[in-house]
Amino acid sequence: MTQPSQSLDQRIAGYISDYDAQGIHRTGTEVDLKSAEWLSDLIRDMGLEATLNPLPLERIQVLKSEITVEDRRLEGIPMFDCGAYTDSGGITGRLGDINDSEADIGVSLVPPSPVHENAVRFTEARKTRGFKAMVSITYGPSDSKGLFLMNAFQFREPFGPPVLQVSGHDSEWLQEAVRAGKTTTVTVSTERVATDAFNVEIRVEGTDSTLAPLVVFTPRSGWWPCASERGGGIAAWLELIRAMQQSRPKRDGIFTANTGHELHHLGMNHFLASNPTLLKEAFAWIHLGANFAAADNTVAVISSEERLKDDFVQAVPGIDMHTAVGRPFGEGIPIYESGGRFISVGGTNPLFHAPEDRWPDAVNLDQTTRIVAGLIKLVTTLVK
Protein backbone atom coordinates (compact mmCIF):
# COMPACT_ATOMS: atom_id res chain seq x y z
CA MET A 1 0.00 0.00 0.00
CA THR A 2 1.39 3.41 -0.96
CA GLN A 3 1.90 6.15 1.65
CA PRO A 4 2.00 9.94 1.19
CA SER A 5 5.42 10.03 2.91
CA GLN A 6 6.93 7.86 0.18
CA SER A 7 8.84 9.38 -2.71
CA LEU A 8 7.17 9.74 -6.10
CA ASP A 9 8.97 6.73 -7.58
CA GLN A 10 8.07 4.61 -4.55
CA ARG A 11 4.38 5.50 -4.86
CA ILE A 12 4.40 4.79 -8.61
CA ALA A 13 6.06 1.42 -8.03
CA GLY A 14 3.41 0.63 -5.43
CA TYR A 15 0.53 1.57 -7.72
CA ILE A 16 1.80 -0.49 -10.65
CA SER A 17 2.78 -3.53 -8.60
CA ASP A 18 -0.59 -3.54 -6.80
CA TYR A 19 -2.48 -3.16 -10.08
CA ASP A 20 -0.48 -5.97 -11.68
CA ALA A 21 -1.06 -8.28 -8.70
CA GLN A 22 -4.84 -7.92 -8.98
CA GLY A 23 -4.90 -10.23 -12.02
CA ILE A 24 -6.46 -10.07 -15.49
CA HIS A 25 -8.24 -6.73 -15.95
CA ARG A 26 -10.99 -7.62 -18.43
CA THR A 27 -14.07 -5.44 -18.39
CA GLY A 28 -16.91 -6.46 -16.09
CA THR A 29 -14.99 -9.19 -14.27
CA GLU A 30 -14.36 -9.52 -10.54
CA VAL A 31 -10.84 -8.19 -11.04
CA ASP A 32 -12.23 -5.16 -12.88
CA LEU A 33 -14.54 -4.42 -9.94
CA LYS A 34 -11.74 -4.98 -7.43
CA SER A 35 -9.56 -2.55 -9.36
CA ALA A 36 -12.27 0.12 -9.31
CA GLU A 37 -12.73 -0.25 -5.56
CA TRP A 38 -8.95 -0.11 -5.06
CA LEU A 39 -8.75 3.21 -6.91
CA SER A 40 -11.68 4.55 -4.91
CA ASP A 41 -9.95 3.56 -1.66
CA LEU A 42 -6.70 5.26 -2.71
CA ILE A 43 -8.61 8.46 -3.46
CA ARG A 44 -10.38 8.23 -0.11
CA ASP A 45 -6.96 7.99 1.54
CA MET A 46 -6.22 11.39 -0.01
CA GLY A 47 -9.26 12.84 1.76
CA LEU A 48 -11.42 12.87 -1.36
CA GLU A 49 -14.40 10.82 -2.53
CA ALA A 50 -14.69 9.12 -5.92
CA THR A 51 -17.84 8.00 -7.71
CA LEU A 52 -18.22 4.58 -9.33
CA ASN A 53 -20.26 5.26 -12.47
CA PRO A 54 -21.90 1.98 -13.59
CA LEU A 55 -21.80 0.79 -17.19
CA PRO A 56 -24.29 -2.06 -17.85
CA LEU A 57 -23.11 -4.68 -20.33
CA GLU A 58 -23.15 -8.37 -21.18
CA ARG A 59 -19.58 -9.54 -20.84
CA ILE A 60 -18.23 -12.55 -22.71
CA GLN A 61 -17.50 -15.53 -20.46
CA VAL A 62 -15.24 -18.06 -22.19
CA LEU A 63 -16.30 -21.67 -21.65
CA LYS A 64 -14.08 -23.57 -24.10
CA SER A 65 -11.69 -22.10 -26.64
CA GLU A 66 -9.38 -24.39 -28.64
CA ILE A 67 -8.43 -25.95 -31.95
CA THR A 68 -7.65 -29.65 -32.44
CA VAL A 69 -5.95 -31.27 -35.41
CA GLU A 70 -5.75 -35.05 -35.17
CA ASP A 71 -4.18 -35.67 -31.74
CA ARG A 72 -2.90 -32.13 -31.13
CA ARG A 73 -4.72 -29.35 -29.32
CA LEU A 74 -4.00 -25.65 -28.92
CA GLU A 75 -5.93 -23.44 -26.51
CA GLY A 76 -6.61 -19.77 -27.18
CA ILE A 77 -8.93 -16.83 -26.57
CA PRO A 78 -11.92 -15.87 -28.74
CA MET A 79 -12.34 -12.51 -30.33
CA PHE A 80 -14.98 -10.73 -28.27
CA ASP A 81 -16.92 -9.16 -31.15
CA CYS A 82 -17.89 -12.28 -33.12
CA GLY A 83 -21.36 -12.44 -34.60
CA ALA A 84 -21.61 -16.09 -33.55
CA TYR A 85 -19.83 -18.62 -31.36
CA THR A 86 -19.84 -22.41 -31.39
CA ASP A 87 -21.46 -24.88 -29.05
CA SER A 88 -19.29 -27.12 -26.86
CA GLY A 89 -18.77 -29.56 -29.76
CA GLY A 90 -17.21 -26.93 -32.01
CA ILE A 91 -17.12 -26.65 -35.79
CA THR A 92 -15.28 -29.19 -37.96
CA GLY A 93 -13.93 -28.46 -41.41
CA ARG A 94 -10.92 -28.13 -43.70
CA LEU A 95 -8.19 -25.66 -42.82
CA GLY A 96 -6.90 -23.10 -45.28
CA ASP A 97 -5.37 -19.69 -45.68
CA ILE A 98 -7.88 -16.81 -45.62
CA ASN A 99 -7.40 -16.52 -49.41
CA ASP A 100 -8.37 -20.18 -49.91
CA SER A 101 -11.93 -20.13 -51.24
CA GLU A 102 -12.35 -23.88 -50.66
CA ALA A 103 -11.47 -23.79 -46.95
CA ASP A 104 -14.08 -24.08 -44.20
CA ILE A 105 -11.83 -22.53 -41.55
CA GLY A 106 -9.67 -19.58 -42.55
CA VAL A 107 -6.33 -19.02 -40.83
CA SER A 108 -3.91 -16.09 -40.87
CA LEU A 109 -1.08 -14.46 -38.93
CA VAL A 110 -2.49 -11.36 -37.20
CA PRO A 111 -0.91 -8.69 -34.92
CA PRO A 112 -2.92 -6.72 -32.33
CA SER A 113 -2.72 -3.42 -34.24
CA PRO A 114 -5.97 -2.96 -36.21
CA VAL A 115 -4.28 -0.79 -38.83
CA HIS A 116 -1.59 -3.34 -39.71
CA GLU A 117 -2.14 -4.73 -43.21
CA ASN A 118 -2.46 -8.31 -41.93
CA ALA A 119 -5.10 -7.25 -39.39
CA VAL A 120 -7.00 -5.29 -42.05
CA ARG A 121 -7.04 -8.30 -44.40
CA PHE A 122 -8.18 -10.59 -41.58
CA THR A 123 -11.03 -8.24 -40.62
CA GLU A 124 -12.14 -7.98 -44.23
CA ALA A 125 -12.15 -11.78 -44.52
CA ARG A 126 -14.30 -11.99 -41.36
CA LYS A 127 -16.83 -9.74 -43.07
CA THR A 128 -16.86 -11.18 -46.58
CA ARG A 129 -15.42 -14.68 -47.01
CA GLY A 130 -18.15 -16.79 -45.41
CA PHE A 131 -15.91 -19.12 -43.39
CA LYS A 132 -17.55 -21.41 -40.84
CA ALA A 133 -14.88 -20.31 -38.34
CA MET A 134 -11.53 -18.50 -38.37
CA VAL A 135 -8.25 -18.72 -36.51
CA SER A 136 -5.87 -15.83 -35.81
CA ILE A 137 -2.27 -16.88 -35.11
CA THR A 138 -1.13 -13.86 -33.16
CA TYR A 139 2.24 -12.17 -33.03
CA GLY A 140 3.57 -8.94 -31.59
CA PRO A 141 6.01 -6.11 -32.35
CA SER A 142 9.09 -7.06 -34.38
CA ASP A 143 7.35 -10.33 -35.29
CA SER A 144 7.67 -11.66 -31.72
CA LYS A 145 5.63 -14.78 -31.01
CA GLY A 146 2.95 -14.95 -28.33
CA LEU A 147 -0.72 -14.46 -27.55
CA PHE A 148 -1.14 -10.80 -28.54
CA LEU A 149 -4.90 -10.22 -28.47
CA MET A 150 -6.82 -7.80 -30.66
CA ASN A 151 -9.34 -5.40 -29.15
CA ALA A 152 -13.04 -5.99 -29.82
CA PHE A 153 -13.64 -2.97 -32.02
CA GLN A 154 -17.24 -3.94 -32.77
CA PHE A 155 -18.30 -5.30 -29.38
CA ARG A 156 -21.64 -3.46 -29.57
CA GLU A 157 -22.20 -4.54 -33.20
CA PRO A 158 -20.63 -8.04 -33.44
CA PHE A 159 -20.05 -9.60 -36.84
CA GLY A 160 -18.72 -12.61 -38.69
CA PRO A 161 -18.01 -16.25 -37.72
CA PRO A 162 -16.46 -17.59 -34.52
CA VAL A 163 -12.80 -16.51 -34.28
CA LEU A 164 -10.16 -18.20 -32.16
CA GLN A 165 -6.91 -16.35 -31.31
CA VAL A 166 -3.92 -18.62 -30.60
CA SER A 167 -0.31 -17.96 -29.67
CA GLY A 168 2.39 -18.02 -32.32
CA HIS A 169 4.70 -19.71 -29.79
CA ASP A 170 3.31 -23.19 -30.43
CA SER A 171 1.77 -22.83 -33.84
CA GLU A 172 4.31 -24.28 -36.26
CA TRP A 173 2.43 -27.57 -36.44
CA LEU A 174 -0.83 -25.66 -36.96
CA GLN A 175 0.66 -23.70 -39.87
CA GLU A 176 1.81 -26.99 -41.39
CA ALA A 177 -1.73 -28.33 -41.02
CA VAL A 178 -3.05 -25.25 -42.82
CA ARG A 179 -0.66 -25.79 -45.73
CA ALA A 180 -1.73 -29.45 -45.90
CA GLY A 181 -5.43 -28.55 -45.79
CA LYS A 182 -6.10 -30.88 -42.89
CA THR A 183 -9.44 -31.30 -41.14
CA THR A 184 -9.77 -29.62 -37.76
CA THR A 185 -12.27 -28.78 -35.06
CA VAL A 186 -12.47 -25.24 -33.72
CA THR A 187 -14.38 -24.68 -30.48
CA VAL A 188 -15.21 -21.16 -29.37
CA SER A 189 -17.90 -21.71 -26.74
CA THR A 190 -18.99 -18.71 -24.66
CA GLU A 191 -21.88 -17.29 -22.71
CA ARG A 192 -22.96 -13.71 -22.07
CA VAL A 193 -23.18 -12.60 -18.45
CA ALA A 194 -25.18 -9.49 -17.53
CA THR A 195 -23.13 -7.27 -15.22
CA ASP A 196 -22.04 -3.73 -14.44
CA ALA A 197 -18.56 -2.39 -15.06
CA PHE A 198 -17.51 0.92 -13.52
CA ASN A 199 -15.71 4.12 -14.38
CA VAL A 200 -13.98 5.73 -11.41
CA GLU A 201 -14.66 9.46 -11.45
CA ILE A 202 -13.83 12.42 -9.23
CA ARG A 203 -14.00 16.20 -9.45
CA VAL A 204 -11.27 18.11 -7.62
CA GLU A 205 -12.76 21.53 -7.00
CA GLY A 206 -10.83 24.69 -7.71
CA THR A 207 -11.43 28.12 -6.22
CA ASP A 208 -13.26 29.53 -9.28
CA SER A 209 -16.09 27.33 -10.54
CA THR A 210 -16.77 29.73 -13.42
CA LEU A 211 -13.59 28.62 -15.17
CA ALA A 212 -13.76 25.76 -17.67
CA PRO A 213 -12.50 22.49 -16.13
CA LEU A 214 -9.44 20.45 -17.05
CA VAL A 215 -10.22 16.77 -17.77
CA VAL A 216 -7.70 14.00 -17.07
CA PHE A 217 -8.61 10.51 -18.29
CA THR A 218 -7.03 7.09 -18.57
CA PRO A 219 -8.25 3.58 -19.44
CA ARG A 220 -7.94 1.05 -16.63
CA SER A 221 -9.04 -2.26 -18.22
CA GLY A 222 -7.33 -4.62 -20.66
CA TRP A 223 -6.81 -8.23 -21.72
CA TRP A 224 -4.14 -9.19 -19.17
CA PRO A 225 -2.55 -7.76 -15.99
CA CYS A 226 -1.29 -4.91 -18.23
CA ALA A 227 1.43 -3.64 -15.90
CA SER A 228 3.17 -1.39 -18.42
CA GLU A 229 0.28 -0.91 -20.84
CA ARG A 230 -2.09 0.59 -18.27
CA GLY A 231 -0.04 0.94 -15.08
CA GLY A 232 1.71 4.17 -16.04
CA GLY A 233 -1.56 5.90 -16.86
CA ILE A 234 -3.14 4.79 -13.59
CA ALA A 235 -0.13 5.95 -11.56
CA ALA A 236 -0.09 9.33 -13.31
CA TRP A 237 -3.86 9.72 -12.84
CA LEU A 238 -3.57 9.17 -9.09
CA GLU A 239 -0.58 11.49 -8.71
CA LEU A 240 -2.30 14.26 -10.68
CA ILE A 241 -5.29 14.03 -8.34
CA ARG A 242 -2.90 14.32 -5.39
CA ALA A 243 -1.07 17.27 -6.95
CA MET A 244 -4.27 19.18 -7.73
CA GLN A 245 -5.64 18.64 -4.26
CA GLN A 246 -2.45 19.99 -2.70
CA SER A 247 -2.01 22.98 -5.06
CA ARG A 248 -5.42 24.62 -4.41
CA PRO A 249 -5.96 25.46 -8.11
CA LYS A 250 -8.35 28.01 -9.55
CA ARG A 251 -9.72 25.61 -12.17
CA ASP A 252 -11.69 22.40 -11.41
CA GLY A 253 -10.16 19.10 -12.43
CA ILE A 254 -12.37 16.26 -13.66
CA PHE A 255 -10.73 12.84 -13.48
CA THR A 256 -12.03 9.58 -14.94
CA ALA A 257 -10.38 6.14 -15.03
CA ASN A 258 -12.45 4.17 -17.51
CA THR A 259 -13.31 0.53 -17.91
CA GLY A 260 -14.15 -1.01 -21.30
CA HIS A 261 -10.95 -0.08 -23.10
CA GLU A 262 -10.49 -3.42 -24.89
CA LEU A 263 -14.18 -3.39 -25.91
CA HIS A 264 -13.75 -0.37 -28.18
CA HIS A 265 -13.58 2.25 -25.45
CA LEU A 266 -16.98 1.53 -23.88
CA GLY A 267 -16.05 3.34 -20.69
CA MET A 268 -14.87 6.52 -22.42
CA ASN A 269 -18.01 6.54 -24.58
CA HIS A 270 -20.09 6.13 -21.41
CA PHE A 271 -18.25 9.02 -19.73
CA LEU A 272 -18.85 11.32 -22.69
CA ALA A 273 -22.52 10.31 -22.87
CA SER A 274 -22.86 11.05 -19.14
CA ASN A 275 -21.27 14.49 -19.66
CA PRO A 276 -22.70 15.59 -23.02
CA THR A 277 -21.52 19.22 -22.90
CA LEU A 278 -17.97 18.53 -21.77
CA LEU A 279 -16.45 18.11 -25.23
CA LYS A 280 -17.28 21.75 -25.94
CA GLU A 281 -16.85 23.17 -22.44
CA ALA A 282 -13.57 21.67 -21.18
CA PHE A 283 -10.52 23.92 -21.02
CA ALA A 284 -8.23 21.05 -22.04
CA TRP A 285 -7.92 17.26 -21.90
CA ILE A 286 -5.00 15.14 -20.66
CA HIS A 287 -5.07 11.62 -22.15
CA LEU A 288 -2.91 9.21 -20.17
CA GLY A 289 -2.64 6.56 -22.85
CA ALA A 290 -1.01 3.18 -23.23
CA ASN A 291 2.55 1.98 -22.82
CA PHE A 292 4.55 5.03 -21.73
CA ALA A 293 5.63 2.97 -18.69
CA ALA A 294 6.98 0.13 -20.85
CA ALA A 295 10.60 -0.96 -20.93
CA ASP A 296 12.37 -0.70 -24.30
CA ASN A 297 9.76 1.64 -25.74
CA THR A 298 9.44 4.89 -27.65
CA VAL A 299 7.35 7.51 -25.87
CA ALA A 300 4.82 9.23 -28.14
CA VAL A 301 3.30 12.63 -27.39
CA ILE A 302 0.51 13.92 -29.62
CA SER A 303 -1.21 17.23 -29.03
CA SER A 304 -3.70 19.61 -30.56
CA GLU A 305 -1.15 22.43 -30.52
CA GLU A 306 2.60 23.03 -30.52
CA ARG A 307 2.58 25.08 -27.30
CA LEU A 308 1.00 22.37 -25.16
CA LYS A 309 3.28 19.69 -26.61
CA ASP A 310 6.41 21.79 -26.14
CA ASP A 311 5.50 22.67 -22.54
CA PHE A 312 5.27 18.97 -21.69
CA VAL A 313 8.47 18.00 -23.50
CA GLN A 314 10.38 20.72 -21.65
CA ALA A 315 9.01 19.40 -18.35
CA VAL A 316 10.45 15.91 -19.03
CA PRO A 317 14.18 16.28 -19.71
CA GLY A 318 16.35 13.35 -20.69
CA ILE A 319 13.74 11.24 -22.51
CA ASP A 320 13.65 10.79 -26.27
CA MET A 321 10.12 11.21 -27.57
CA HIS A 322 8.24 11.04 -30.81
CA THR A 323 6.11 14.18 -30.88
CA ALA A 324 3.41 15.37 -33.23
CA VAL A 325 0.47 17.72 -33.58
CA GLY A 326 -2.55 15.88 -34.94
CA ARG A 327 -4.80 12.87 -34.40
CA PRO A 328 -4.21 10.82 -31.23
CA PHE A 329 -4.87 7.13 -30.61
CA GLY A 330 -7.59 5.34 -28.65
CA GLU A 331 -9.81 7.26 -26.29
CA GLY A 332 -8.31 10.58 -27.36
CA ILE A 333 -9.95 10.44 -30.80
CA PRO A 334 -13.34 12.00 -29.78
CA ILE A 335 -11.50 14.98 -28.31
CA TYR A 336 -9.61 15.51 -31.55
CA GLU A 337 -12.72 15.11 -33.68
CA SER A 338 -14.63 17.65 -31.59
CA GLY A 339 -11.86 20.23 -31.95
CA GLY A 340 -10.86 20.06 -28.28
CA ARG A 341 -7.54 21.09 -26.82
CA PHE A 342 -5.57 18.04 -25.69
CA ILE A 343 -2.31 16.29 -25.08
CA SER A 344 -2.04 12.50 -25.37
CA VAL A 345 0.90 10.61 -23.87
CA GLY A 346 1.53 7.00 -24.93
CA GLY A 347 4.19 4.84 -26.51
CA THR A 348 5.24 1.58 -28.05
CA ASN A 349 5.49 -1.68 -26.12
CA PRO A 350 7.15 -4.99 -27.07
CA LEU A 351 4.58 -6.77 -24.86
CA PHE A 352 1.48 -4.87 -26.04
CA HIS A 353 -1.65 -6.99 -25.34
CA ALA A 354 0.47 -9.95 -24.19
CA PRO A 355 0.19 -11.89 -20.89
CA GLU A 356 3.92 -11.33 -20.22
CA ASP A 357 3.31 -7.61 -19.58
CA ARG A 358 4.04 -7.93 -15.84
CA TRP A 359 5.63 -6.00 -13.02
CA PRO A 360 8.53 -5.40 -12.63
CA ASP A 361 10.31 -6.67 -15.76
CA ALA A 362 8.01 -4.99 -18.29
CA VAL A 363 8.17 -1.55 -16.62
CA ASN A 364 10.73 1.25 -16.89
CA LEU A 365 10.19 2.85 -13.48
CA ASP A 366 12.69 5.68 -13.92
CA GLN A 367 11.17 6.78 -17.21
CA THR A 368 7.65 6.51 -15.82
CA THR A 369 8.56 8.64 -12.80
CA ARG A 370 10.04 11.34 -15.04
CA ILE A 371 6.93 11.40 -17.21
CA VAL A 372 4.60 11.59 -14.22
CA ALA A 373 6.68 14.43 -12.73
CA GLY A 374 6.43 16.27 -16.06
CA LEU A 375 2.68 15.76 -16.20
CA ILE A 376 2.36 17.17 -12.68
CA LYS A 377 4.24 20.32 -13.79
CA LEU A 378 2.06 20.69 -16.86
CA VAL A 379 -1.27 20.11 -15.13
CA THR A 380 -0.59 22.34 -12.14
CA THR A 381 0.30 25.11 -14.58
CA LEU A 382 -2.88 24.61 -16.60
CA VAL A 383 -5.18 24.79 -13.56
CA LYS A 384 -3.59 27.84 -11.88
Side-chain angles (χ1 to χ4, degrees), residues 340-377:
R341 188 182 186 211
F342 70 88
I343 186 166
S344 176
V345 183
T348 60
N349 189 345
L351 297 174
F352 187 52
H353 290 191
E356 292 82 7
D357 181 3
R358 303 299 306 272
W359 171 266
D361 292 344
V363 175
N364 184 331
L365 181 59
D366 176 68
Q367 175 175 280
T368 306
T369 303
R370 293 187 188 190
I371 290 172
V372 173
L375 286 163
I376 290 172
K377 292 179 183 178

Side-chain angles (χ1 to χ4, degrees), residues 11-320:
R11 291 198 300 273
I12 290 171
Y15 298 142
I16 299 177
S17 62
D18 288 351
Y19 177 76
D20 170 86
Q22 289 163 9
I24 295 175
H25 289 277
R26 292 179 193 165
T27 300
T29 61
E30 290 185 11
V31 171
D32 190 36
L33 174 58
K34 179 180 179 181
S35 176
E37 293 172 340
W38 166 72
L39 285 176
S40 182
D41 289 344
L42 288 171
I43 291 168
R44 189 174 296 112
D45 290 342
M46 299 180 196
L48 301 169
E49 199 67 34
T51 298
L52 299 186
N53 186 353
L55 167 63
L57 79 156
E58 289 188 337
R59 68 175 175 84
I60 301 293
Q61 177 68 43
V62 181
L63 302 177
K64 186 178 180 182
S65 186
E66 64 182 32
I67 181 170
T68 58
V69 181
E70 297 172 343
D71 61 344
R72 302 196 70 167
R73 180 172 65 92
L74 183 58
E75 293 185 345
I77 300 292
M79 285 191 173
F80 276 33
D81 56 0
C82 300
Y85 295 94
T86 75
D87 59 21
S88 60
I91 290 174
T92 299
R94 189 178 76 81
L95 285 167
D97 181 85
I98 58 171
N99 296 314
D100 184 347
S101 61
E102 301 299 320
D104 300 304
I105 298 169
V107 183
S108 184
L109 297 169
V110 185
S113 170
V115 298
H116 190 283
E117 58 182 357
N118 284 12
V120 171
R121 283 196 295 266
F122 191 81
T123 299
E124 184 63 21
R126 289 176 66 190
K127 294 177 178 178
T128 63
R129 297 304 299 270
F131 292 114
K132 294 180 180 179
M134 297 181 69
V135 178
S136 163
I137 300 174
T138 70
Y139 65 96
S142 302
D143 297 331
S144 54
K145 294 180 179 180
L147 189 53
F148 295 83
L149 300 182
M150 182 178 286
N151 285 345
F153 289 95
Q154 291 190 222
F155 181 78
R156 292 295 196 192
E157 297 179 350
F159 71 102
V163 180
L164 175 67
Q165 300 174 95
V166 298
S167 169
H169 273 309
D170 306 305
S171 68
E172 291 296 332
W173 62 269
L174 177 57
Q175 294 180 65
E176 291 176 4
V178 171
R179 290 188 286 269
K182 290 189 174 182
T183 297
T184 185
T185 299
V186 172
T187 305
V188 186
S189 177
T190 68
E191 63 181 5
R192 289 188 174 267
V193 179
T195 189
D196 284 334
F198 296 90
N199 290 343
V200 184
E201 301 173 10
I202 182 172
R203 190 178 192 115
V204 181
E205 293 185 357
T207 59
D208 187 350
S209 61
T210 65
L211 295 176
L214 177 76
V215 185
V216 181
F217 63 102
T218 193
R220 63 171 196 83
S221 69
W223 294 116
W224 305 108
C226 304
S228 68
E229 179 190 347
R230 302 267 69 102
I234 288 168
W237 187 82
L238 287 163
E239 284 301 311
L240 291 174
I241 293 172
R242 184 191 304 278
M244 275 201 66
Q245 181 203 30
Q246 294 175 348
S247 67
R248 295 184 58 81
K250 290 182 179 179
R251 197 178 300 277
D252 286 3
I254 298 173
F255 293 79
T256 181
N258 297 325
T259 189
H261 168 76
E262 77 281 15
L263 307 181
H264 201 205
H265 317 153
L266 290 188
M268 183 60 176
N269 294 338
H270 182 62
F271 173 75
L272 293 175
S274 301
N275 299 273
T277 63
L278 201 54
L279 280 172
K280 297 299 182 183
E281 294 178 353
F283 172 69
W285 301 72
I286 309 295
H287 175 210
L288 306 172
N291 302 324
F292 65 79
D296 302 317
N297 77 341
T298 299
V299 177
V301 180
I302 305 174
S303 181
S304 58
E305 59 187 66
E306 292 283 353
R307 173 68 183 276
L308 200 57
K309 171 179 68 65
D310 291 345
D311 285 348
F312 174 72
V313 171
Q314 292 171 12
V316 190
I319 295 179
D320 292 330

